[in-house]
Amino acid sequence: LCMGREGPSLTKHVLVDSVHCSGDMLQLASILHDTYGLNVHLYALEHRYYGQSYPQFSDGSSPVSNENLRYLSSRQALGDMAHFVSTAIHDGGSSFSSNVKVVTFGGSYPGMLSAWARLKYPHLIFASVSNSSPVQAQLDFPEYNDRVAYDLRDEAVGGSDACFDIFSVGHAEISGMVSADGDGREKIAELFNICG
């Protein structure tokens, strides 16, 4: 079960060629089917408030009103996932079927959802794969920058010292523009075509 996230709408291609669902999920599905002869089904859930997934309110109010944005949360997304698993996969039953094992997948924020789904709903989620997921997020997080720096240099994932240097110089230039007096922020907005 691919946990959806912030980003573009899910399309019919999401399970074969998408930023939403990782290659890990597809590779595991292939191994389970080809090696063990298991019947594997892949699903992807679009996160509420992204793509076409907006809740409808009985009073007809807008889902994006300040009052209704309280329903845009990881807790609500996990509830949506549990409802889907209970109704669509387990035919509305509340007990976990021994014949159906649900594994959640995700990276970054969807990885957080994947891990939390297993933690919060162990009766529904057999296992989870959570990649690059800051499940204990913190405001000042230098370890994240250290990891990104390492990856920018790592040739195994397409990085290099030159790539790191380009990134470092660009980051320093942008930081200087943000902190400088004058029109630095406006220049950044123009450079990145940011609409106000």
Side-chain angles (χ1 to χ4, degrees), residues 74-132:
S74 57
R75 284 190 178 113
Q76 294 287 334
L78 288 172
D80 292 343
M81 179 279 313
H83 178 75
F84 173 78
V85 170
S86 293
T87 58
I89 296 176
H90 295 302
D91 296 323
S94 60
S95 63
F96 193 83
S97 167
S98 62
N99 294 331
V100 178
K101 305 284 192 235
V102 177
V103 179
T104 57
F105 286 81
S108 193
Y109 172 60
M112 294 163 62
L113 293 175
S114 178
W116 292 333
R118 171 71 177 132
L119 182 67
K120 187 167 178 159
Y121 300 102
H123 61 290
L124 296 175
I125 305 304
F126 178 75
S128 69
V129 177
S130 176
N131 295 320
S132 302

Side-chain angles (χ1 to χ4, degrees), residues 70-190:
R70 66 183 166 171
Y71 299 108
L72 171 58
S73 71
S74 57
R75 284 190 178 113
Q76 294 287 334
L78 288 172
D80 292 343
M81 179 279 313
H83 178 75
F84 173 78
V85 170
S86 293
T87 58
I89 296 176
H90 295 302
D91 296 323
S94 60
S95 63
F96 193 83
S97 167
S98 62
N99 294 331
V100 178
K101 305 284 192 235
V102 177
V103 179
T104 57
F105 286 81
S108 193
Y109 172 60
M112 294 163 62
L113 293 175
S114 178
W116 292 333
R118 171 71 177 132
L119 182 67
K120 187 167 178 159
Y121 300 102
H123 61 290
L124 296 175
I125 305 304
F126 178 75
S128 69
V129 177
S130 176
N131 295 320
S132 302
S133 307
V135 291
Q136 293 181 334
Q138 57 192 54
L139 182 60
D140 188 13
F141 194 14
E143 296 86 1
Y144 176 80
N145 293 337
D146 295 343
R147 182 70 226 181
V148 170
Y150 176 84
D151 289 340
L152 288 170
R153 288 187 170 115
D154 188 354
E155 292 181 12
V157 295
S160 66
D161 286 337
C163 177
F164 175 79
D165 292 342
I166 291 168
F167 184 85
S168 295
V169 169
H171 191 269
E173 287 178 15
I174 295 295
S175 295
M177 292 173 77
V178 167
S179 60
D181 292 332
D183 61 351
R185 290 177 190 237
E186 288 80 17
K187 286 181 183 177
I188 293 171
E190 184 180 324

Side-chain angles (χ1 to χ4, degrees), residues 27-43:
Q27 184 176 10
L28 178 60
S30 179
I31 290 169
L32 291 173
H33 180 267
D34 297 344
T35 305
Y36 299 100
L38 297 176
N39 189 7
V40 178
H41 296 267
L42 301 175
Y43 297 94

Side-chain angles (χ1 to χ4, degrees), residues 49-70:
Y49 284 89
Y50 292 93
Q52 301 298 315
S53 300
Y54 286 90
Q56 295 180 358
F57 296 94
S58 59
D59 65 0
S61 61
S62 169
V64 295
S65 67
N66 286 339
E67 166 121 6
N68 289 335
L69 283 175
R70 66 183 166 171

